């Protein structure tokens, strides 16, 4: 990631209020499917931001590993895990995803919310454990607002390879899907 992009994300999180226990949740597009998420195992939260999904997964019983490029976001995520009493099940680290996914065990859940980098598709699929659940969303490419980090409806399903799509959808601003490794 360029220095300018890294600073932009860092400043974005520095200006945000720290999340509270009330903010702990799955991203809204996945909330109605919460029962599909396992209650044990390992989770990887890619571009985790302030850690609200990671902490939700840890409260559910998983060991969560959240990564983000912004140190301010990671600091807020660590504080949230501490306030929620799940520091033993949460690990957060500053990581530039331009370098690929960080090393780690196979994941029973991978969440990648509103972050898209097609260069990581193979690594994400390879990291998913047998039976594991992938929850991915990305901002939609709309009109002239396109970039490599935005997707068209149906694009995510085409990128998940041999995974089985459980459900997918779109909102006015994002596309999302849940898929399993069978």
């Amino acid at each position: 990631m360029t220095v300018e992009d890294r600073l932009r994300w860092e400043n974005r999180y520095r200006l945000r209020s720290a999340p509270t226990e009330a903010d702990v949740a799955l991203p809204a597009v996945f909330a109605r499917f919460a029962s599909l998420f396992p209650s044990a195992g390992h989770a990887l939260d890619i571009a985790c931001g302030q850690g609200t999904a990671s902490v939700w997964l840890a409260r559910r019983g998983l060991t969560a590993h959240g990564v983000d490029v912004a140190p301010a976001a990671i600091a807020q995520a660590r504080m949230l895990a501490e306030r929620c009493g799940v520091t033993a099940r949460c690990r957060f680290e500053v990581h530039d995803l331009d370098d690929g996914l960080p090393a780690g065990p196979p994941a029973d859940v991978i969440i990648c919310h509103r972050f898209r980098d097609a260069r990581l598709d193979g690594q994400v699929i390879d990291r998913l454990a047998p039976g594991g659940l992938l929850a991915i969303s990305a901002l939609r490419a709309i009109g002239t607002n396109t970039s490599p980090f935005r997707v068209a409806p149906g694009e995510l399903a085409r990128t998940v390879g041999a995974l089985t799509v459980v459900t997918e959808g779109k909102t006015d601003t994002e596309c999302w899907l849940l898929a399993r490794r069978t």
Side-chain angles (χ1 to χ4, degrees):
M1 175 173 286
T2 67
V3 172
E4 293 81 19
D5 283 342
R6 185 176 292 122
L7 289 173
R8 182 175 51 88
W9 284 109
E10 178 68 6
N11 288 332
R12 175 180 270 180
Y13 286 109
R14 283 188 186 278
L15 295 174
R16 280 189 185 169
S17 298
T20 67
E21 287 188 52
D23 298 316
V24 173
L26 280 174
V29 295
F30 303 126
R32 67 181 175 193
F33 304 104
S35 65
L36 297 177
F37 286 74
S39 57
H42 179 76
L44 176 61
D45 189 355
I46 300 169
C48 69
Q50 297 172 304
T52 56
S54 293
V55 171
W56 184 87
L57 292 164
R59 281 181 161 178
R60 189 162 173 85
L62 288 104
T63 300
H65 180 189
V67 297
D68 200 283
V69 73
I74 293 300
Q76 291 172 0
R78 288 175 179 151
M79 288 187 306
L80 180 63
E82 185 175 339
R83 281 194 304 277
C84 292
V86 292
T87 54
R89 288 195 305 275
C90 284
R91 178 168 62 106
F92 295 101
E93 73 174 286
V94 175
H95 182 80
D96 186 342
L97 291 163
D98 279 356
D99 298 329
L101 294 182
D108 300 290
V109 175
I110 296 177
I111 292 183
C112 187
H113 178 58
R114 291 192 177 167
F115 173 81
R116 175 78 177 125
D117 187 339
R119 297 173 300 174
L120 296 175
D121 289 348
Q123 291 179 49
V124 168
I125 292 166
D126 289 346
R127 178 66 71 80
L128 199 60
L133 182 69
L134 172 63
I136 187 168
S137 71
L139 294 175
R140 284 181 61 188
I142 301 171
T144 60
N145 194 356
T146 62
S147 80
F149 306 108
R150 290 182 175 262
V151 297
E155 183 179 336
L156 292 175
R158 290 188 298 276
T159 66
V160 295
L163 301 182
T164 301
V165 175
V166 175
T167 187
E168 65 179 312
K170 63 182 170 108
T171 68
D172 290 342
T173 58
E174 67 189 306
C175 296
W176 57 270
L177 74 71
L178 294 172
R180 280 207 190 278
R181 179 178 213 125
T182 53

